[in-house]
């Protein structure tokens, strides 16, 4: 074990050195490219001075230099983009909120397309569990700011663009200041409060919001707050598309919202949706009209049978609290309070049960290790795949999604026969919901023996069994 720890420390140090050297290499390459550009310009000017003044210089695009034509030629050839479209792309500014499963592929293709300036917002750091889908990060980037890691990768893809990393959590105090610097915003987040925040800020700043989401094997994509007044190709310049609040006026209950970390996600699905977010952004920049974009339409992707579909969304609501002509919400609010949920999904901790109905990991370990002949029923409510990955010895698997009808009745009957019962899940949220349901149904003389493991298996790993996997 000591040798393994020593090797891991050495590898971590080598990764830090490698990361520093890669940064030096990036800087050296950028300086070399800039110097070469200066030399080419000087050399070209000298050559033209030697020619007769009647000799015409080679004509490129209206504003595109030689390097841009060569670099982006494959998309300039498209009639949907062309020279004019590429000029718009090279001078555009796009903000990507979230450097995760959606933000990474979206930002990567925006950088490849030549978007002049890309902003990356993310408060989190890279974890090993991110890398299967967040393709701008590598193993050596663990514990590094996601925004900085993504920005560094984007600069290595395209040294001709400007990339700004915002290592902050977007909130009501800083959202407008950041968003106002950009033309288009991509919502690549995974929590409801930030979605409402981005929507309200983009409506206020009159910026289109390209919103994507992915969970398990499914993904969704649409554009909120599109305004025709910014596109000369639109016939009706008064058209305004629906915003997020037009479609979802009220947030869902916090316990009804799933996330990638709790329900899982296929990395390739986030790649599909993130890439399509970049595509919609490029089309929007190039001047496509709202009928060609995902405005008033939501794209649905099902990875299980690899099918795409679109559904019609309601048009802009004339009574919308934010985007109507007479809005009732005129400034950004506290969106965690509004949604009754935390914006930092990874730290989500619901408090459904009173404290006396919960038990700490250390207390549970003491009860399980006691020599008492009383039966202690340990009920793990995670799904089967999670239970197969890891579980506490002696636990029985009763997946929350199956605890209905006779299965739930059988569980309650089994609880009546036990002396102690503890419900367990990954973070202590689902287990509370099951325990609450049982407490509402079971007789009063059984209530005191029913507990929930506070903090779930994450807390168990932290406080009791350090070898227990955290996922």
């Amino acid at each position: 074990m000591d040798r393994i720890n020593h090797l891991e420390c050495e590898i971590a140090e080598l990764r830090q050195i490698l990361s520093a050297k890669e940064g030096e290499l990036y800087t050296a390459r950028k300086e070399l490219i800039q110097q070469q550009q200066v030399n080419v310009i000087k050399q070209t000017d000298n050559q033209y001075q030697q020619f007769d003044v009647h000799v015409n210089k080679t004509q490129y695009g209206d504003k595109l230099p030689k390097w841009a034509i060569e670099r982006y030629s494959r998309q300039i050839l498209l009639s949907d983009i062309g020279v004019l479209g590429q000029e718009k792309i090279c001078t555009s500014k796009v903000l990507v909120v979230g450097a995760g499963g959606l933000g990474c592929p979206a930002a990567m293709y925006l950088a490849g397309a030549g978007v002049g300036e890309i902003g990356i917002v993310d408060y989190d750091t890279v974890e090993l569990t991110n890398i299967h889908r967040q393709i701008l990060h590598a193993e050596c980037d663990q514990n590094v700011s996601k925004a900085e890691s993504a920005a560094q990768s984007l600069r290595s893809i395209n040294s001709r663009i400007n990339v700004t990393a915002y290592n902050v959590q977007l909130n009501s105090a800083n959202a407008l200041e950041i968003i106002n610097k950009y033309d288009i915003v991509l919502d690549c987040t995974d929590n409801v409060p930030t979605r409402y925040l981005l929507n309200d800020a983009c409506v206020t700043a009159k910026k289109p919001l390209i919103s994507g989401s992915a969970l398990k094997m499914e993904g969704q994509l649409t554009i909120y707050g599109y305004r025709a007044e910014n596109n000369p190709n639109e016939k009706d310049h008064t058209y305004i598309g629906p915003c997020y609040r037009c479609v979802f006026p009220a947030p869902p209950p916090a316990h009804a919202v799933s996330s990638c970390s709790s329900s899982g996600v296929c990395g390739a699905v986030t790649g599909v949706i993130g890439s399509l977010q970049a595509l919609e952004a490029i089309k929007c920049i190039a001047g496509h009209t709202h009928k060609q974009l995902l405005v008033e339409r939501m794209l649905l992707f099902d990875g299980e049978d690899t099918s795409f579909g679109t559904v019609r969304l309601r048009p802009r609501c004339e009574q919308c609290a934010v985007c109507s002509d007479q809005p009732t919400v005129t400034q950004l609010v506290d969106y965690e309070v509004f949604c009754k949920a935390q914006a930092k999904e990874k730290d989500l901790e619901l408090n459904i049960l009173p404290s006396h109905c919960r038990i700490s990991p250390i207390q549970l370990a003491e009860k399980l290790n006691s020599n008492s002949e009383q039966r202690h029923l340990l009920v793990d409510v995670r799904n089967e795949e999670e239970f197969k990955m890891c579980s506490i010895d002696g636990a029985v698997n009763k997946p929350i999604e199956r605890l209905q009808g006779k299965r739930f009745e059988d569980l309650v009957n089994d609880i009546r026969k036990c002396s102690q019962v503890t419900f367990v899940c990954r973070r202590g949220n689902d287990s509370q919901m099951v325990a609450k349901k049982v407490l509402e149904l079971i007789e009063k003389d059984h209530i005191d023996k029913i507990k929930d493991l506070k903090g779930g298996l994450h807390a168990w790993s932290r406080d009791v069994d350090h070898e227990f996997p955290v996922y």
Side-chain angles (χ1 to χ4, degrees), residues 237-362:
H237 288 93
T238 63
Y239 173 82
I240 300 176
C243 76
Y244 185 65
R245 284 193 189 240
C246 293
V247 182
F248 303 103
H255 62 80
V257 179
S258 296
S259 65
C260 295
S261 60
S262 62
S263 300
V265 66
C266 177
V269 172
T270 64
V272 169
I273 301 301
S275 298
L276 289 173
Q277 282 184 277
L279 174 62
E280 289 300 289
I282 291 168
K283 288 163 57 183
C284 194
I285 294 167
H288 287 55
T289 65
H290 71 275
K291 292 184 178 180
Q292 298 169 296
L293 299 166
L294 284 170
V295 177
E296 282 192 44
R297 293 184 297 140
M298 179 174 285
L299 180 141
L300 305 176
F301 173 67
D302 188 342
E304 290 191 358
D305 59 6
T306 319
S307 62
F308 287 90
T310 55
V311 294
R312 269 284 168 196
L313 298 180
R314 66 186 68 174
R316 182 188 179 209
C317 177
E318 294 182 359
Q319 289 80 39
C320 178
V322 175
C323 74
S324 64
D325 293 335
Q326 295 180 329
T328 56
V329 177
T330 56
Q331 61 183 8
L332 304 185
V333 300
D334 187 329
Y335 291 88
E336 290 187 332
V337 173
F338 172 68
C339 297
K340 298 179 181 178
Q342 298 182 52
K344 290 187 176 182
E345 180 275 331
K346 62 182 290 184
D347 298 324
L348 179 63
E349 183 177 344
L350 300 179
N351 291 301
I352 299 172
L353 297 175
S355 58
H356 68 268
C357 291
R358 310 195 74 184
I359 187 173
S360 72
I362 294 176

Side-chain angles (χ1 to χ4, degrees), residues 262-457:
S262 62
S263 300
V265 66
C266 177
V269 172
T270 64
V272 169
I273 301 301
S275 298
L276 289 173
Q277 282 184 277
L279 174 62
E280 289 300 289
I282 291 168
K283 288 163 57 183
C284 194
I285 294 167
H288 287 55
T289 65
H290 71 275
K291 292 184 178 180
Q292 298 169 296
L293 299 166
L294 284 170
V295 177
E296 282 192 44
R297 293 184 297 140
M298 179 174 285
L299 180 141
L300 305 176
F301 173 67
D302 188 342
E304 290 191 358
D305 59 6
T306 319
S307 62
F308 287 90
T310 55
V311 294
R312 269 284 168 196
L313 298 180
R314 66 186 68 174
R316 182 188 179 209
C317 177
E318 294 182 359
Q319 289 80 39
C320 178
V322 175
C323 74
S324 64
D325 293 335
Q326 295 180 329
T328 56
V329 177
T330 56
Q331 61 183 8
L332 304 185
V333 300
D334 187 329
Y335 291 88
E336 290 187 332
V337 173
F338 172 68
C339 297
K340 298 179 181 178
Q342 298 182 52
K344 290 187 176 182
E345 180 275 331
K346 62 182 290 184
D347 298 324
L348 179 63
E349 183 177 344
L350 300 179
N351 291 301
I352 299 172
L353 297 175
S355 58
H356 68 268
C357 291
R358 310 195 74 184
I359 187 173
S360 72
I362 294 176
Q363 290 172 325
L364 176 60
E366 291 173 351
K367 289 181 177 295
L368 293 176
N369 291 331
S370 68
N371 295 322
S372 173
E373 295 181 359
Q374 294 180 333
R375 185 187 173 198
H376 192 139
L377 179 61
L378 190 60
V379 183
D380 191 322
V381 302
R382 296 174 299 156
N383 64 45
E384 290 182 2
E385 294 305 316
E386 289 182 273
F387 188 75
K388 289 177 183 178
M389 282 196 295
C390 53
S391 63
I392 300 175
D393 288 343
V396 294
N397 189 208
K398 302 288 183 181
I400 185 173
E401 64 268 17
R402 296 185 182 179
L403 284 177
Q404 300 171 354
K406 189 175 184 303
R407 284 185 175 143
F408 183 72
E409 292 175 4
D410 290 343
L411 173 62
V412 174
N413 287 332
D414 201 12
I415 290 173
R416 292 188 178 106
K417 303 172 186 177
C418 299
S419 300
Q420 299 177 72
V421 179
T422 303
F423 287 93
V424 176
C425 71
R426 185 181 172 200
R427 292 179 174 171
N429 294 330
D430 287 346
S431 55
Q432 285 188 82
M433 287 189 277
V434 177
K436 183 175 184 293
K437 189 176 178 182
V438 171
L439 287 167
E440 291 172 347
L441 181 67
I442 206 164
E443 297 79 9
K444 289 184 178 180
D445 55 338
H446 294 287
I447 288 178
D448 290 341
K449 67 183 181 184
I450 297 171
K451 303 294 182 182
D452 166 78
L453 179 60
K454 187 174 182 180
L457 294 173

Side-chain angles (χ1 to χ4, degrees), residues 28-82:
R29 281 178 173 169
K30 187 172 183 179
E31 290 174 352
L32 177 61
I33 291 172
Q34 291 173 342
Q35 187 58 47
Q36 288 175 339
Q37 292 172 357
V38 172
N39 293 339
V40 168
I41 292 172
K42 289 180 179 179
Q43 182 179 0
T44 303
D45 289 343
N46 292 335
Q47 289 175 345
Y48 281 127
Q49 289 176 2
Q50 298 173 9
F51 288 116
D52 187 276
V53 292
H54 298 292
V55 178
N56 291 328
K57 296 182 180 180
T58 304
Q59 294 297 311
Y60 305 130
D62 292 342
K63 298 178 182 176
L64 290 179
K66 176 177 178 290
W67 68 264
I69 293 175
E70 293 175 344
R71 177 160 192 152
Y72 307 119
S73 61
R74 296 302 184 268
Q75 64 189 35
I76 295 174
L77 289 171
L78 300 173
S79 59
D80 289 322
I81 296 180

Side-chain angles (χ1 to χ4, degrees), residues 107-169:
M108 185 176 69
Y109 278 105
L110 292 174
V115 169
E117 185 168 337
I118 299 175
I120 303 286
V121 179
D122 204 304
Y123 66 88
D124 206 357
T125 57
V126 179
E127 298 177 358
L128 187 62
T129 57
N130 303 146
I131 297 173
H132 92 282
R133 67 194 183 281
Q134 300 178 14
I135 54 177
L136 288 179
H137 313 307
E139 289 181 355
C140 61
D141 296 319
Q142 290 180 71
N143 300 317
V144 174
S145 158
K146 281 188 181 180
E148 295 291 350
S149 171
Q152 184 70 11
S153 296
L154 294 178
R155 295 182 188 115
S156 68
I157 291 172
N158 193 341
S159 62
R160 299 278 188 170
I161 66 174
N162 293 323
V163 184
T164 303
Y166 298 92
N167 184 23
V168 297
Q169 182 180 3

